[in-house]
Structure formats: structure tokens, C-alpha cells
Amino acid sequence: MYVCGITPYDATHMGHAATYVAFDLLNRIWRDSGHEVRYVQNITDVDDPLLIRAKERGEDWQDLAERQVALFREDMTALRVIPPDHYIGAVEAIPLVVDAVTALLGRDAVYDLSGDLYFRVHLDPEFGTRSHLDREEMLAVFAHRGGDPARVGKEDPLDCLLWQSERPDEPSWHTSLGSGRPGWHIECSAIALHYLGRSVDVQGGGSDLLFPHHEMGAAEARVLTGERFARTFVHAGMVGLDGEKMSKSRGNLVFASKLRQDGVDPMAIRLALLADHYRTNRDWTNEGLTSAQHRLDQWREQLSRPAGPAAAETIWKIRAALANDLDSPGALKAVDDWCSLPRTQTDQASEPGLISRAIDSLLGVAI
Ligand code: 5CA
Ligand code: ZN
């Protein structure tokens, strides 16, 4: 599984948290089913948005990235997200990107525009089959999400940047491709192909990455390997605040670290995120957090009793819900239902512990 990681500034907002908790559920249900999971994630630790933000704050871009990655990792630990096996920064992956672009050059998939190297997206016969957008839509979305369809001299407005030549006052690296830095999509395809082989079971991220990022990354990988890059593309819904997408540019962010500082139990944050299905676009609300806290209190109260009703059926309900496209609301309901079963003479001492362990391992909620 390859899940796109953060660009390290303004982490960890509740949109990020929701997306990584969703893929953590997938990781957990796979492990529970006996699969060996290999999980890789990147950090986009050099890119325009990071450099722009660092400049605005008058901070060194590397210091900003380092601080934000540390904060993100603390937040993920607090939320009990199982870390990836390989967590790879774009900067450390530059040699992988150079190798990948060199291989693409050998396939005639690259052209030079004033030192910048572009990928011919239509060399991938399956271009467009992941996002299902038509050309008009692609052009519109590309312009909004880091692309440059209007740049003069491109063979096709949709072609994407593989390598950006050195710009004044911007970081760059001396490589066989010239002095410059990696484009965005090739960062992820190069890392994924290197650490996971020629294809992955799941390529994941938020739905804002479907196009252009995942379409173009998959196209690059397809031209490199001749194989389908991901068996499945999985996209989490967007989390917003007050009806607007939560984003760094809109500035309507709720941070996991701030909630933790305010004394909110990270397990309540996690439960609030699990209360909705991962694919739904939704808002982060105070009411949602309050009801998650209430649910956590209920669970803790019931699970701290010396005995309880039989656990086995409930545990299978949790598994069945998660196996059904990560139906976390269904899984939470199974636990709620167990908590509200009447207590009787036949209650066994072992049962609350079994439920606790199932909640811990399957849902990542420590009781
Ligand atoms: N570094 C790139 C991916 S290679 C990136 O998109 N970084 S990010 O910091 O902007 O987002 C990190 C992850 O959180 C991505 O998977 C993204 O899709 C997801 N994400 C960003 N904003 C939201 C949101 N409001 N709701 C849900 N997920 C989000
Ligand atoms: Zn990515």
C-alpha cells in the first residue's frame, strides 16, 4: 500500500488525520486477515507550496519541514496510526527520481522546455482511466492543482513536470538531469516503484489527489514498467469546517496537536473521525467530537466491568463491517450494541477484555 504523505506545513489538520486514520483501518483489517502488509508513505519535503509558506513565515524551508514532520509523527502516534514501513522524503528520494526520469528519457517519454523536463502523459494508453475525467475537466482541475496547462511551448497542455530546472533563490540539486528539483508526481511513483515493486495493491490519499496526482503518477509508472501501477485507487473524502474544504490556503484548519494541547483525548478524536464513512465528504464539528467523547466514556464504563455478554459475535460484526469497504460507522455500532446489551447472570469475566482487544487492534482505539 502506498499512501501519499503530507507536504510538511500546517500539519496535522483534521483532514490529514481523517485520511491517515482511514488507511490505518485498511492496514489493520489486512493484518487481522493474516496478510503481510508493506506500507510506504512519502513526505513532499520540497515543493512550491512548502517553499512559499516558508518564505511567508520568514523561516528556513528545511526547518519548517523538519518541525512539521516531527509534529505529524507525534500526532499519528497519539492517534495510534501504525507507521509505514518506509517513510521517505522527496529530498532523500532525488536519486530515485533521477533514475526514473532517466528511464523515461530512454522511452522517449520526456521533452525539454528551457531546462524543465516534461512527461508526455498520452504515452500511457490508459491515461484518464483512473480519474474518468474528460479532457475539459482535466484541464480545469490541472490548473487548480499544481499543474501548468497554460505554459507556452508544451506539446500537450496536460503534460506534467518531471524535473524543474534551478530557479534563483530556490533549492536545487546537481544531478545528471542538470541542476534542479523533482516534480511532484514522479516523486511518488519513483518511491512507490522502488520500495513496493512494479505495482501496488492500493494507491491511497484524499480525493483531491485523484487528478492530476494519481492519474499522472500512475501514467508515469505505467510507461516505466508496462504494467498497471495500482490494482485499486482508494480515495478518502474531504473533511471541511463550516461547509468549506479544510485547507491550508483557506486557513480554516483544526489541528490535532491543538486539540491534544487543549486536553482532548486522542482516542475521542479518532472515534470522531471513525464515526463517518471514510469516503464521505464531511465537516469536522464540535458536536461530533463531543459525541465521540461520550461514546468513549460509555465504552470505557462498560468495558471496565468485571464481566459482560458474549463477545464473539460482536467481534465478527466489527470485522464484517470493516471488510465492507471500511464501514467504520457499522463497526462502532456493533460495539455500541454490545455495550447496551442487558447484563445477566450468564455474563463471563473474559468477555469485556476480548472486546477491548478487538477495539484496540481492529479500530485502533485504546480503551
Ligand atoms: N504531499 C501531497 C501528496 S504526495 C499532499 O497532498 N500533501 S497534503 O499535505 O496536502 O495532504 C496530505 C494528505 O491528506 C493527502 O492524502 C491529501 O489528499 C489529504 N488531505 C488534504 N486535505 C484534506 C482534507 N481537507 N480532507 C481529507 N484529506 C485531506
Ligand atoms: Zn503523492
Side-chain angles (χ1 to χ4, degrees):
M1 168 160 73
Y2 184 91
V3 178
C4 284
I6 56 165
T7 303
Y9 63 96
D10 284 349
T12 308
H13 66 60
M14 300 317 291
H16 298 142
T19 291
Y20 297 111
V21 164
F23 289 96
D24 187 55
L25 281 186
L26 182 56
N27 192 355
R28 285 168 183 274
I29 190 74
W30 271 350
R31 285 164 190 261
D32 180 64
S33 311
H35 295 296
E36 189 188 313
V37 181
R38 278 191 292 152
Y39 180 13
V40 177
Q41 193 178 120
N42 68 306
I43 311 161
T44 308
D45 58 3
V46 60
D47 200 9
D48 292 340
L50 172 67
L51 300 176
I52 290 166
R53 184 57 62 100
K55 204 169 260 175
E56 279 169 12
R57 294 190 188 172
E59 190 178 1
D60 177 70
W61 64 277
Q62 282 162 307
D63 292 344
L64 175 60
E66 205 171 300
R67 242 184 339 104
Q68 289 285 303
V69 170
L71 185 61
F72 176 73
R73 296 178 81 153
E74 276 171 34
D75 288 330
M76 290 299 105
T77 303
L79 293 173
R80 297 185 86 241
V81 171
I82 300 172
D85 302 294
H86 298 280
Y87 190 40
I88 309 296
V91 172
E92 82 178 282
I94 286 174
L96 300 180
V97 170
V98 170
D99 286 351
V101 175
T102 305
L104 285 171
L105 273 160
R107 285 172 180 61
D108 204 21
V110 184
Y111 59 93
D112 185 316
L113 190 56
S114 315
D116 296 333
L117 302 182
Y118 279 89
F119 173 62
R120 299 189 166 102
V121 290
H122 285 287
L123 274 196
D124 169 21
E126 287 166 24
F127 186 73
T129 57
R130 300 101 185 168
S131 58
H132 308 289
L133 300 180
D134 63 31
R135 193 173 165 83
E136 286 295 87
E137 293 168 319
M138 284 184 184
L139 285 167
V141 179
F142 193 42
H144 282 113
R145 296 199 183 135
D148 55 358
R151 180 164 180 189
V152 177
K154 287 172 73 174
E155 288 179 9
D156 182 320
L158 286 174
D159 289 342
C160 65
L161 200 58
L162 292 166
W163 184 260
Q164 177 172 303
S165 64
E166 184 175 355
R167 305 273 196 275
D169 295 331
E170 285 190 6
S172 62
W173 288 263
H174 295 286
T175 72
S176 55
L177 302 173
S179 216
R181 59 180 163 100
W184 177 25
H185 317 307
I186 193 70
E187 161 194 345
C188 285
S189 23
I191 294 172
L193 292 177
H194 181 78
Y195 287 95
L196 292 168
R198 301 168 73 80
S199 68
V200 299
D201 289 303
V202 164
Q203 156 78 305
S207 60
D208 58 335
L209 297 185
L210 178 56
F211 194 88
H213 187 51
H214 287 171
E215 186 75 71
M216 294 196 170
E220 291 162 350
R222 174 72 170 69
V223 172
L224 279 168
T225 66
E227 286 176 31
R228 175 141 63 125
F229 173 59
R231 262 176 280 270
T232 315
F233 289 86
V234 181
H235 292 106
M238 286 292 109
V239 174
L241 189 72
D242 302 326
E244 285 210 50
K245 178 191 158 182
M246 207 179 276
S247 78
K248 301 160 186 189
S249 44
R250 286 201 179 86
N252 60 343
L253 305 175
V254 176
F255 294 105
S257 53
K258 175 73 168 59
L259 294 175
R260 295 198 288 121
Q261 266 168 25
D262 293 346
V264 177
D265 187 328
M267 292 300 95
I269 302 175
R270 185 159 174 129
L271 270 183
L273 296 171
L274 294 177
D276 293 298
H277 189 260
Y278 77 94
R279 272 193 289 105
T280 32
N281 295 327
R282 57 204 191 271
D283 275 354
W284 174 262
T285 63
N286 278 329
E287 298 76 53
L289 181 58
T290 306
S291 74
Q293 185 65 62
H294 178 70
R295 174 179 255 148
L296 187 62
D297 293 343
Q298 297 277 102
W299 287 11
R300 285 194 169 138
E301 189 192 323
Q302 293 304 321
L303 289 165
S304 62
R305 293 189 177 209
E313 196 186 326
T314 299
I315 294 170
W316 279 108
K317 280 185 186 160
I318 299 171
R319 288 194 169 111
L322 293 180
N324 178 22
D325 193 17
L326 305 176
D327 174 15
S328 57
L332 302 194
K333 182 175 181 301
V335 182
D336 290 341
D337 290 348
W338 182 87
C339 288
S340 56
L341 287 174
R343 308 288 132 167
T344 67
Q345 297 289 326
T346 57
D347 283 359
Q348 301 272 320
S350 52
E351 305 306 298
L354 289 173
I355 298 277
S356 292
R357 287 204 288 283
I359 293 170
D360 188 305
S361 62
L362 288 162
L363 299 175
V365 176
I367 289 301

